[in-house]
Amino acid sequence: MLWPGFLGRSTPDWLRRELDEGLAGVVLFAQNLGGVGWVEERAQRPSRNPLSGASGLETHTPSSGAPQPADFAHPLLVGIDEEGGNVTRVEASTGSTLPGAAQLGFVDDLDATEAVGRELARRSLAVGANVVLGPVADVNTDPRNPVIGVRSFGAAPGLVSRHVVASLRGIRSAGAAACVKHFPGHGDTHLDSHHAMPELAIGLGELDGMHLPPFRAAIEAGVEAVMTAHIVVPGWGDRPSTLNPVALGRLRELGFEGVIVTDALDMAAVRESVGAGPGAVQALLAGADLLCISNPANLGAAAAPDQDERDFREVQHAIFAAIDDGTLPVATLERAARRVRGLAEAVAARAAVAAAQVDADDGWMPRAARRIAREAISIDGAVPALPGARTVFDVRGRSTLAVASDRDYVERTLSAGGEVLRGDAPVPAATPLVVLVDRVGVDGGAQRERVSAIAAVRPDAVVVDVGVPGAPLSLPTLHTRAASLLAAEAAAELLESGVGS
């Protein structure tokens, strides 16, 4: 029932032992990918999984030829946050080349959303992950939201619902499992649960009518896993939903019979309130099945060399102690383990069938992705042509830990070899100028004020907004609805030629 992350590209000895002894699997992050790592190690070990057949890993090989995680005595669940747009692990160093949810929701082409879901699953399977931690089912109704924003398909429950279902179809058709997130909806919050405990300060009626419909739609479409949110719903008590039996009971009442996955227990909303260990026990008692321990690299320089094992042991030992003192019934663990094992077996069996049916990419997806990225851009005002090198003035806020990738690729692409300035640097007087923003959806915000100040000096500048659009700014603006390589390239093409309103 435990789902840890780990440091480095090769599997640590402690993790290999735990996997041999029955650990549910792992969650992969950018630091685990590239070079000789998880996928290559799996290929070098003979399979002992009865579901994999006599030839071992080969029966779990997608069109890319990458082996799948079938080399232990039990099938593993290997998760990855691969959403397209702002959130990618596979392309963390270069930026995603697939559209994100806000782009897809704006274009509103369900076939495109399904195709992107299928490609997200293919890319995940190619690096050894068989559970895509997506799509995001949150309805982003608070423009101040620092953690969801363009990761959501939009602000209308009907729109979000139909795209969630389309994405699910695509992910499943490629042989992976989807895990919709973040129940009961993280879209009406203005705090990031990586750093604090958000509260969904709305009535249960509004929650039911606005934020639960995408989860209902996903359940009706057969979703196999749902991830919880570390948010407090006052009508359900003062515990965050991940640790709240009322919240998780409500999810079951909606008809969901699959695996309830916790959001990461190392996020501040849990870690700095009850602690990851006690939080794990409370989550199991509340009805969770699979405990995501998450990314030990999130601590940055403060992380110990063995931070991954420390995080895992904290949770594991808390569960052992709760069993010993009678707080945590063994029957609760058995219930969760059955659901987790059932999902792992189902995904292992499906992956073998899907691998034989998936055609190799013929170049259609890159072309379709570029089309979607262009159609997702809306324009305020007349954007002048800015050919050649440009100065990019980046006034964006800090990135959420959910993104966890280098953001420089957006600046580099937009600048086309020009200078990049940040923060309170002086406004350049002559060079073609692009102002890069991501949180201008609220009147009076700091980024809006900065744009106004720059406009007073450089009325010829152009804004590229990679967040959720708000009221028009004081400069011509390209709204890309993603901070990705794909979106930046689409914006750069428009900057080269200019475009009218």
Side-chain angles (χ1 to χ4, degrees), residues 15 35 67 71 77 125 170 174 196 241 265 397 412 439 454 488:
L15 179 55
D71 59 327
L77 293 176
L125 289 163
S241 296
L265 295 173
R412 288 196 301 269
R439 294 176 194 166
I454 293 172

Side-chain angles (χ1 to χ4, degrees), residues 54-438:
S55 60
L57 286 166
E58 287 75 8
T59 61
H60 290 261
T61 302
S63 58
S64 67
Q68 296 309 294
D71 59 327
F72 291 90
H74 63 289
L76 303 182
L77 293 176
V78 181
I80 192 166
D81 289 294
E82 199 62 29
E83 300 175 11
N86 288 28
V87 178
T88 176
R89 305 296 182 244
V90 176
E91 298 182 291
S93 62
T94 59
S96 178
T97 55
L98 289 176
Q103 293 169 293
L104 291 166
F106 184 79
V107 173
D108 201 11
D109 179 340
L110 295 180
D111 289 339
T113 297
E114 182 174 348
V116 170
R118 185 159 48 249
E119 183 62 19
L120 288 169
R122 284 175 178 167
R123 294 184 182 190
S124 299
L125 289 163
V127 297
N130 54 15
V131 181
V132 178
L133 296 175
V136 170
D138 305 313
V139 181
N140 195 73
T141 54
D142 190 333
R144 300 170 297 172
N145 199 320
V147 67
I148 303 301
V150 295
R151 297 169 63 200
S152 166
F153 290 108
L159 172 74
V160 175
S161 295
R162 61 179 178 264
H163 283 275
V164 163
V165 171
S167 181
L168 288 175
R169 284 198 303 267
I171 291 169
R172 187 180 179 95
S173 70
C179 178
V180 299
K181 56 190 183 184
H182 309 80
F183 183 83
H186 209 316
D188 198 3
T189 61
H190 62 276
L191 294 176
D192 182 349
S193 51
H194 292 87
H195 303 291
M197 181 78 80
E199 180 176 304
L200 202 60
I202 59 176
L204 293 181
E206 184 177 349
L207 174 67
D208 188 72
M210 181 63 73
H211 298 280
L212 294 187
F215 294 98
R216 286 197 191 93
I219 292 166
E220 291 172 1
V223 70
E224 296 167 293
V226 175
M227 178 174 282
T228 63
H230 303 326
I231 60 174
V232 174
V233 177
W236 290 343
D238 58 2
R239 291 188 185 186
S241 296
T242 299
L243 316 181
N244 191 331
V246 178
L248 302 193
R250 179 67 177 128
L251 178 55
R252 295 297 184 199
E253 290 171 3
L254 294 177
F256 181 62
E257 298 179 353
V259 174
I260 297 178
V261 183
T262 71
D263 206 346
L265 295 173
D266 71 334
M267 292 164 60
V270 172
R271 186 187 68 243
E272 296 181 6
S273 57
V274 299
V281 174
Q282 290 183 30
L284 287 168
L285 290 171
D289 303 304
L290 184 58
L291 308 182
C292 180
I293 301 172
S294 196
N295 189 357
N298 282 347
L299 293 177
D306 61 344
Q307 191 67 48
D308 48 2
E309 184 175 9
R310 292 188 187 195
D311 292 347
F312 175 77
R313 298 298 177 203
E314 179 182 357
V315 170
Q316 185 187 52
H317 292 163
I319 292 173
F320 288 158
I323 295 170
D324 289 342
D325 66 17
T327 301
L328 187 58
V330 172
T332 299
L333 305 180
E334 291 174 340
R335 172 219 71 210
R338 281 194 299 271
R339 287 199 181 102
V340 171
R341 178 61 63 88
L343 176 57
E345 291 174 349
V347 174
R350 186 166 69 239
V353 175
Q357 298 174 343
V358 174
D359 296 329
D361 182 17
D362 61 358
W364 176 85
M365 177 52 70
R367 294 193 300 273
R370 289 192 293 271
R371 173 185 65 80
I372 294 164
R374 174 60 189 90
E375 292 179 4
I377 295 177
S378 58
I379 303 164
D380 292 335
V383 175
L386 301 178
R390 297 175 284 267
T391 297
V392 172
F393 209 129
D394 188 350
V395 300
R396 290 178 293 173
R398 71 173 179 174
S399 178
T400 174
L401 289 173
V403 174
S405 60
D406 184 359
R407 305 196 303 168
D408 291 349
Y409 48 79
V410 175
E411 301 168 341
R412 288 196 301 269
T413 302
L414 294 177
S415 69
E419 186 180 15
V420 174
L421 304 175
R422 297 183 179 89
D424 296 325
V427 179
T431 60
L433 182 62
V434 175
V435 185
L436 183 58
V437 300
D438 64 353

